[in-house]
């Protein structure tokens, strides 16, 4: 975990990235702009998922937790008339609170059992949505959910303004997630992942930290759900089923989870492949199959994810620019 | 003799039908190095596990600083200064030496979570890093400060394990076979380290098979066999006790 000394190239890269992100929608068609909105939301979804995995536990409930944020924000705004920006925050908080409650049964389990437990917990929540027509709308879900309010002449009904809104919210959230990981808390999360017994022996309360990671990750997942629902305007329980969770897992695995940017690479690359290539070829309905194929290919040929290409690229660049010294960038791993 | 800092009373721990520790009694004086020896499977590690809260005692009590701490969690025991190390090299192998020791200082952190996320804990972090560096220096690891723990030699890994434990500000430190697998040079270096940790005022309880180290370091030795107390005394008394010799010969242990 190296810190300090910010590379000036990083600033340049950051500014270029920001400019690209701002300019991006102008090069896109209407439907591609809609995809870009969802992509930005998914970037936060998979990044928040990674925060959870830092303590070593992989959950299958993350998309359902996103749904908790979506349902909560939809209901707060539609039923109780809470202004949408506030209902979004309340949705995020609700998702975090549900995670806090789930921590007590779930963190009695570890590894595979946790995975199955989190899946079961998610299915129970989805059953609740399906069963209780009031207030959750049953299997058909909720419709006519209020959108984000206009600000002056800007209507967030259009994908372009909503894209920028999401960009700001997601950008701030990513910064927060990044800070968490770089802080002592992040170091402690990693420590619990690698050696929970040793961590406990020096006084780290592993349950509290696992719960903290879960609650924080879920809060941001809930925010994703809220951003999603006030854009799409309708939700139903099947939007948050296990197939969607599998997509999140594939983004994370294909991108790699050792670095902060790994899962982001995963979701961006897979979405672009899906949209640009598949849609152009006319078989975008084959998404699950294509994703499955990419997953298998990446596990076979790129077991450490797309992120593992970055240090290799850097080493290749420096070896070209300077005299060959053979120093691979080994500081990438957090 | 002053009041014991750590005491076990009639301590028993069973696993199913197996009695790993059987009505064990001993008491550890503050500031001493107290040995716990016995053949493999005698129940030494289990005793440590019960004292440090990894297992609850089946019956009996653990008394620490005059207080019954039986059944308290490892975390709360660590917070009040009862720290154990592990048999074998248990480290955060993926971390640098410095980050390993920094985790050891976990209990010293006072900043709130929010302050930590916002980076408002810089001063405290710097103070902890300074203390960590002192410990790293003390254990002769200064040159390896930014090296991954996985890349250290066996002896250095053992030293780091104790540095992590020491960072947690122990009053009593339980060391489980710190000398195993060390060459003579590493052993004598480690003996010096254990003495200087004791000189810092830390009470040490030591499980070890290396008789040279045990005899050289301990003020008092408790000998276990088949989960029970076999005998207790000074190194001189234990070394010449026929029961001890018999127990060790009977199990053909590497006791020199
Ligand atoms: N978690 C456990 N479950 C079942 N049996 C155990 C467990 N831990 C230790 N034992 C048994 O208890 C006995 C004492 O083991 P241990 O305390 O590790 O001995 P020592 O450290 O003196 O070599 C052994 O027979 C061992 O197999
Ligand atoms: Mg043992």
């Amino acid at each position: 975990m190296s810190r300090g000394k910010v590379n000036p190239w990083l600033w340049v890269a950051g500014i270029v990235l920001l400019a690209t992100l701002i300019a991006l929608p102008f090069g896109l068609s209407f439907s591609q702009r809609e995809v870009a909105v969802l992509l930005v939301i998914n970037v936060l979804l998979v990044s928040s998922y990674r925060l959870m995995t830092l303590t070593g536990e992989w959950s299958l409930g993350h998309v359902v937790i996103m749904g908790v944020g979506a349902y909560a924000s939809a209901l707060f705004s539609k039923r109780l008339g809470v202004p949408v920006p506030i209902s979004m925050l309340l949705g995020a908080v609700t998702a975090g609170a549900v995670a806090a409650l789930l921590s007590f049964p779930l963190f009695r389990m570890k590894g595979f059992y946790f995975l199955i437990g989190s899946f079961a917990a998610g299915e129970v929540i989805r059953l609740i949505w399906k069963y209780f027509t009031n207030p959750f709308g049953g299997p058909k879900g909720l419709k006519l959910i209020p959108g984000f309010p206009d600000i002056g002449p800007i209507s967030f009904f259009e994908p372009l303004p909503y894209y920028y809104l999401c960009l700001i919210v997601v950008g701030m959230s990513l910064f927060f997630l990044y800070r968490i990981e770089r802080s002592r808390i992040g170091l402690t999360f990693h420590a619990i992942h690698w050696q929970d017994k040793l961590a406990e022996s020096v006084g780290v309360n592993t349950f509290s930290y696992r719960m903290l990671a879960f609650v924080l990750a879920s809060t941001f997942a809930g925010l994703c759900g809220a951003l999603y629902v006030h854009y799409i305007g309708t939700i139903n329980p099947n939007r948050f089923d296990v197939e969607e969770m599998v997509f999140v897992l594939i983004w994370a695995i294909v991108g790699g989870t050792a670095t902060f940017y790994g899962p982001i690479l995963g979701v961006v690359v897979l979405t672009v492949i899906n949209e640009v290539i598949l849609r152009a070829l006319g078989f975008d309905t084959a998404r699950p199959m294509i994703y499955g194929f990419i997953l298998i290919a990446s596990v076979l040929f790129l077991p450490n994810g797309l992120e593992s290409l970055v240090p290799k690229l850097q080493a290749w660049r420096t070896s070209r620019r300077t005299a060959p010294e053979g120093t691979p960038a080994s500081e990438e791993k957090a | 003799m002053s009041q014991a800092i750590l005491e076990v009373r009639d301590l028993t721990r069973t696993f199913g039908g197996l009695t790993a520790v059987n009505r064990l009694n001993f008491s550890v004086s503050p500031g001493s190095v107290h040995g716990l020896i016995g053949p493999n499977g005698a129940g030494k590690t289990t005793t440590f596990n019960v004292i440090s809260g990894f297992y609850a005692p089946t019956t009996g009590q653990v008394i620490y600083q005059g207080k019954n701490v039986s059944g308290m969690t490892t975390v709360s025991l660590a917070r009040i200064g009862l720290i154990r190390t592990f048999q074998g090299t248990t480290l955060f192998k993926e971390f640098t030496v410095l980050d390993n020791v920094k985790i050891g200082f976990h209990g010293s952190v006072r900043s709130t979570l929010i302050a930590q996320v916002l980076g408002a804990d810089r001063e405290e972090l710097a103070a902890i890093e300074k203390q960590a560096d002192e410990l790293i220096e003390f254990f002769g690891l200064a040159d390896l400060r930014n090296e991954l723990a996985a890349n250290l030699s066996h002896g250095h890994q053992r030293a780091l394990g104790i540095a992590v434990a020491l960072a947690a500000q122990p009053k009593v430190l339980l060391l489980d076979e710190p000398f195993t697998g060390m060459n003579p040079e590493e052993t004598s270096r480690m003996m010096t380290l254990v003495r200087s940790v004791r000189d810092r005022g830390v009470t040490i309880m030591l499980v070890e098979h290396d008789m040279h180290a045990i005899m050289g370091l301990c003020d008092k030795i408790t000998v276990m066999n088949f989960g029970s107390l076999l005998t207790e005394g000074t190194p001189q008394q234990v070394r010449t006790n026929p029961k001890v010799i018999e127990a060790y010969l009977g199990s053909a242990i590497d006791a020199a």
Side-chain angles (χ1 to χ4, degrees), chain B residues 13-16 18-21 37-49 55 87 176-177 207 209 224 227:
Chain B
R13 171 70 208 200
T14 58
F15 296 106
L18 180 117
T19 305
V21 179
I37 66 170
N40 266 325
K44 307 177 296 290
T45 298
T46 304
T47 304
F48 269 17
N49 281 334
Y55 302 142
Q87 193 169 351
D176 199 351
E177 304 199 14
V207 164
H209 283 305
M224 286 179 80

CSV table of all heavy atoms in Angstrom, one decimal, chain B residues 13-16 18-21 37-49 55 87 176-177 207 209 224 227, ligand 1:
chain,number,residue,atom,x,y,z
B,13,ARG,N,-10.1,-28.4,29.0
B,13,ARG,CA,-10.7,-28.1,27.7
B,13,ARG,C,-10.8,-29.5,27.0
B,13,ARG,O,-9.8,-30.2,26.8
B,13,ARG,CB,-9.9,-27.2,26.9
B,13,ARG,CG,-10.3,-27.0,25.4
B,13,ARG,CD,-11.7,-26.3,25.3
B,13,ARG,NE,-12.4,-26.8,24.1
B,13,ARG,CZ,-13.3,-26.1,23.5
B,13,ARG,NH1,-13.7,-25.0,23.9
B,13,ARG,NH2,-13.9,-26.6,22.4
B,14,THR,N,-12.0,-29.8,26.6
B,14,THR,CA,-12.2,-31.1,25.9
B,14,THR,C,-12.6,-30.8,24.4
B,14,THR,O,-13.3,-29.8,24.1
B,14,THR,CB,-13.3,-32.0,26.5
B,14,THR,OG1,-14.5,-31.2,26.6
B,14,THR,CG2,-12.9,-32.4,28.0
B,15,PHE,N,-12.3,-31.7,23.5
B,15,PHE,CA,-12.8,-31.7,22.2
B,15,PHE,C,-13.5,-33.0,21.9
B,15,PHE,O,-12.8,-34.1,21.8
B,15,PHE,CB,-11.7,-31.6,21.1
B,15,PHE,CG,-10.9,-30.3,21.2
B,15,PHE,CD1,-9.6,-30.2,21.8
B,15,PHE,CD2,-11.5,-29.1,20.8
B,15,PHE,CE1,-8.9,-29.0,21.9
B,15,PHE,CE2,-10.8,-27.9,20.9
B,15,PHE,CZ,-9.5,-27.9,21.4
B,16,GLY,N,-14.8,-33.0,22.0
B,16,GLY,CA,-15.5,-34.3,21.9
B,16,GLY,C,-15.1,-35.2,23.1
B,16,GLY,O,-15.2,-34.8,24.2
B,18,LEU,N,-12.0,-36.1,23.6
B,18,LEU,CA,-10.6,-35.9,23.9
B,18,LEU,C,-10.4,-34.8,24.9
B,18,LEU,O,-10.9,-33.7,24.7
B,18,LEU,CB,-9.9,-35.6,22.6
B,18,LEU,CG,-8.4,-35.4,22.7
B,18,LEU,CD1,-7.6,-36.5,21.9
B,18,LEU,CD2,-8.0,-34.1,22.2
B,19,THR,N,-9.6,-35.1,26.0
B,19,THR,CA,-9.4,-34.0,26.9
B,19,THR,C,-8.0,-33.5,26.6
B,19,THR,O,-7.0,-34.1,26.9
B,19,THR,CB,-9.4,-34.6,28.4
B,19,THR,OG1,-10.7,-35.2,28.6
B,19,THR,CG2,-9.2,-33.5,29.4
B,20,ALA,N,-8.0,-32.3,26.0
B,20,ALA,CA,-6.7,-31.7,25.5
B,20,ALA,C,-6.0,-31.0,26.7
B,20,ALA,O,-4.7,-31.1,26.8
B,20,ALA,CB,-6.9,-30.7,24.4
B,21,VAL,N,-6.7,-30.4,27.6
B,21,VAL,CA,-6.2,-29.8,28.8
B,21,VAL,C,-7.0,-30.3,30.0
B,21,VAL,O,-8.2,-30.3,29.9
B,21,VAL,CB,-6.2,-28.3,28.7
B,21,VAL,CG1,-5.6,-27.7,30.0
B,21,VAL,CG2,-5.4,-27.8,27.5
B,37,ILE,N,6.2,-26.3,28.7
B,37,ILE,CA,6.8,-27.3,27.8
B,37,ILE,C,6.1,-28.6,28.0
B,37,ILE,O,5.3,-28.8,28.9
B,37,ILE,CB,8.3,-27.5,28.1
B,37,ILE,CG1,8.6,-28.1,29.4
B,37,ILE,CG2,9.1,-26.1,27.9
B,37,ILE,CD1,10.0,-28.5,29.6
B,38,GLY,N,6.4,-29.5,27.1
B,38,GLY,CA,5.8,-30.8,27.1
B,38,GLY,C,5.9,-31.4,25.8
B,38,GLY,O,6.0,-30.7,24.8
B,39,PRO,N,5.7,-32.7,25.7
B,39,PRO,CA,5.8,-33.4,24.4
B,39,PRO,C,4.7,-32.9,23.4
B,39,PRO,O,3.7,-32.3,23.9
B,39,PRO,CB,5.6,-34.9,24.7
B,39,PRO,CG,5.7,-35.0,26.2
B,39,PRO,CD,5.5,-33.7,26.8
B,40,ASN,N,4.9,-33.2,22.1
B,40,ASN,CA,3.8,-32.8,21.2
B,40,ASN,C,2.5,-33.4,21.5
B,40,ASN,O,2.4,-34.6,22.0
B,40,ASN,CB,4.2,-33.4,19.8
B,40,ASN,CG,5.0,-32.4,19.0
B,40,ASN,OD1,4.7,-31.2,19.1
B,40,ASN,ND2,5.9,-32.8,18.2
B,41,GLY,N,1.5,-32.6,21.4
B,41,GLY,CA,0.1,-33.1,21.8
B,41,GLY,C,-0.2,-33.0,23.2
B,41,GLY,O,-1.3,-33.4,23.7
B,42,ALA,N,0.7,-32.4,24.0
B,42,ALA,CA,0.5,-32.3,25.5
B,42,ALA,C,-0.6,-31.3,25.8
B,42,ALA,O,-1.2,-31.4,26.9
B,42,ALA,CB,1.8,-31.9,26.2
B,43,GLY,N,-0.9,-30.4,24.9
B,43,GLY,CA,-2.0,-29.5,25.2
B,43,GLY,C,-1.5,-28.0,25.4
B,43,GLY,O,-2.3,-27.2,25.8
B,44,LYS,N,-0.3,-27.8,25.0
B,44,LYS,CA,0.3,-26.4,25.2
B,44,LYS,C,-0.5,-25.4,24.3
B,44,LYS,O,-0.9,-24.3,24.8
B,44,LYS,CB,1.8,-26.4,24.8
B,44,LYS,CG,2.6,-27.5,25.6
B,44,LYS,CD,4.0,-27.5,25.2
B,44,LYS,CE,4.3,-27.8,23.7
B,44,LYS,NZ,4.0,-29.2,23.3
B,45,THR,N,-0.6,-25.7,23.0
B,45,THR,CA,-1.3,-24.7,22.1
B,45,THR,C,-2.7,-24.5,22.6
B,45,THR,O,-3.2,-23.4,22.6
B,45,THR,CB,-1.2,-25.2,20.7
B,45,THR,OG1,0.2,-25.2,20.3
B,45,THR,CG2,-1.9,-24.2,19.7
B,46,THR,N,-3.4,-25.6,23.0
B,46,THR,CA,-4.7,-25.5,23.4
B,46,THR,C,-4.8,-24.6,24.6
B,46,THR,O,-5.7,-23.8,24.8
B,46,THR,CB,-5.3,-26.9,23.7
B,46,THR,OG1,-5.2,-27.7,22.6
B,46,THR,CG2,-6.8,-26.8,24.1
B,47,THR,N,-3.9,-24.7,25.6
B,47,THR,CA,-3.8,-23.9,26.7
B,47,THR,C,-3.8,-22.4,26.3
B,47,THR,O,-4.5,-21.6,26.8
B,47,THR,CB,-2.6,-24.2,27.6
B,47,THR,OG1,-2.7,-25.6,28.0
B,47,THR,CG2,-2.6,-23.4,28.9
B,48,PHE,N,-2.9,-22.1,25.4
B,48,PHE,CA,-2.8,-20.7,24.8
B,48,PHE,C,-4.1,-20.3,24.2
B,48,PHE,O,-4.5,-19.2,24.4
B,48,PHE,CB,-1.6,-20.7,23.8
B,48,PHE,CG,-0.3,-20.3,24.4
B,48,PHE,CD1,-0.1,-20.4,25.7
B,48,PHE,CD2,0.7,-19.8,23.5
B,48,PHE,CE1,1.2,-20.1,26.3
B,48,PHE,CE2,2.0,-19.5,24.1
B,48,PHE,CZ,2.2,-19.6,25.4
B,49,ASN,N,-4.7,-21.2,23.4
B,49,ASN,CA,-5.9,-20.8,22.8
B,49,ASN,C,-7.0,-20.5,23.8
B,49,ASN,O,-7.9,-19.6,23.5
B,49,ASN,CB,-6.4,-22.0,21.9
B,49,ASN,CG,-5.6,-22.0,20.5
B,49,ASN,OD1,-5.1,-21.0,20.1
B,49,ASN,ND2,-5.5,-23.2,19.9
B,55,TYR,N,-10.7,-20.3,22.3
B,55,TYR,CA,-11.6,-21.3,22.8
B,55,TYR,C,-12.1,-20.9,24.2
B,55,TYR,O,-11.3,-20.4,25.0
B,55,TYR,CB,-11.0,-22.7,22.9
B,55,TYR,CG,-10.5,-23.3,21.6
B,55,TYR,CD1,-9.3,-24.0,21.6
B,55,TYR,CD2,-11.1,-23.0,20.4
B,55,TYR,CE1,-8.8,-24.6,20.5
B,55,TYR,CE2,-10.6,-23.6,19.2
B,55,TYR,CZ,-9.4,-24.3,19.3
B,55,TYR,OH,-8.9,-24.9,18.1
B,87,GLN,N,1.6,-20.4,16.5
B,87,GLN,CA,2.6,-21.4,16.1
B,87,GLN,C,2.8,-21.3,14.6
B,87,GLN,O,1.8,-21.2,13.9
B,87,GLN,CB,2.1,-22.8,16.5
B,87,GLN,CG,3.1,-23.9,16.5
B,87,GLN,CD,2.5,-25.2,17.1
B,87,GLN,OE1,1.5,-25.2,17.7
B,87,GLN,NE2,3.3,-26.3,16.9
B,176,ASP,N,4.1,-18.8,21.0
B,176,ASP,CA,4.0,-20.3,20.7
B,176,ASP,C,5.1,-20.7,19.8
B,176,ASP,O,5.1,-20.4,18.6
B,176,ASP,CB,2.6,-20.6,20.1
B,176,ASP,CG,2.2,-22.1,20.2
B,176,ASP,OD1,3.1,-22.9,20.6
B,176,ASP,OD2,1.1,-22.4,20.0
B,177,GLU,N,6.1,-21.4,20.3
B,177,GLU,CA,7.2,-22.0,19.6
B,177,GLU,C,7.9,-20.9,18.7
B,177,GLU,O,8.0,-21.2,17.5
B,177,GLU,CB,6.7,-23.2,18.8
B,177,GLU,CG,6.1,-24.2,19.7
B,177,GLU,CD,6.1,-25.6,19.1
B,177,GLU,OE1,6.7,-25.8,18.0
B,177,GLU,OE2,5.4,-26.5,19.6
B,207,VAL,N,6.0,-21.1,25.0
B,207,VAL,CA,5.9,-22.5,24.6
B,207,VAL,C,7.1,-22.8,23.7
B,207,VAL,O,7.2,-22.1,22.7
B,207,VAL,CB,4.6,-22.9,23.9
B,207,VAL,CG1,4.7,-24.2,23.2
B,207,VAL,CG2,3.4,-22.9,24.9
B,209,HIS,N,10.1,-26.0,22.2
B,209,HIS,CA,10.8,-27.3,22.3
B,209,HIS,C,12.3,-27.1,22.4
B,209,HIS,O,13.0,-28.0,22.9
B,209,HIS,CB,10.5,-28.1,21.0
B,209,HIS,CG,9.1,-28.7,21.1
B,209,HIS,ND1,8.6,-29.5,22.1
B,209,HIS,CD2,8.1,-28.6,20.2
B,209,HIS,CE1,7.4,-29.9,21.8
B,209,HIS,NE2,7.0,-29.4,20.7
B,224,MET,N,3.9,-29.9,31.0
B,224,MET,CA,2.6,-30.6,30.8
B,224,MET,C,2.8,-31.9,30.1
B,224,MET,O,3.8,-32.1,29.3
B,224,MET,CB,1.7,-29.8,29.8
B,224,MET,CG,1.1,-28.6,30.4
B,224,MET,SD,0.1,-27.8,29.1
B,224,MET,CE,-1.4,-28.7,29.1
B,227,GLY,N,-2.1,-33.3,28.7
B,227,GLY,CA,-3.1,-32.3,29.1
B,227,GLY,C,-3.0,-31.9,30.6
B,227,GLY,O,-3.6,-31.0,31.0
C,1,LIG,N1,-9.6,-27.8,17.6
C,1,LIG,C1,-9.3,-29.0,18.0
C,1,LIG,N2,-10.2,-30.0,17.7
C,1,LIG,C2,-9.9,-31.3,18.1
C,1,LIG,N3,-8.8,-31.6,18.8
C,1,LIG,C3,-7.9,-30.7,19.0
C,1,LIG,C4,-8.1,-29.3,18.6
C,1,LIG,N4,-7.0,-28.6,19.0
C,1,LIG,C5,-6.1,-29.5,19.6
C,1,LIG,N5,-6.7,-30.7,19.6
C,1,LIG,C6,-6.1,-31.9,20.2
C,1,LIG,O1,-5.7,-31.6,21.5
C,1,LIG,C7,-4.4,-32.2,21.8
C,1,LIG,C8,-3.5,-31.2,22.3
C,1,LIG,O2,-3.1,-30.4,21.1
C,1,LIG,P1,-2.1,-29.1,21.3
C,1,LIG,O3,-2.7,-28.2,22.3
C,1,LIG,O4,-2.0,-28.6,19.9
C,1,LIG,O5,-0.8,-29.8,21.7
C,1,LIG,P2,0.7,-29.1,21.8
C,1,LIG,O6,0.6,-27.7,21.4
C,1,LIG,O7,1.2,-29.3,23.1
C,1,LIG,O8,1.5,-29.9,20.8
C,1,LIG,C9,-4.0,-33.0,20.6
C,1,LIG,O9,-4.4,-34.3,20.7
C,1,LIG,C10,-4.8,-32.3,19.5
C,1,LIG,O10,-5.0,-33.2,18.5
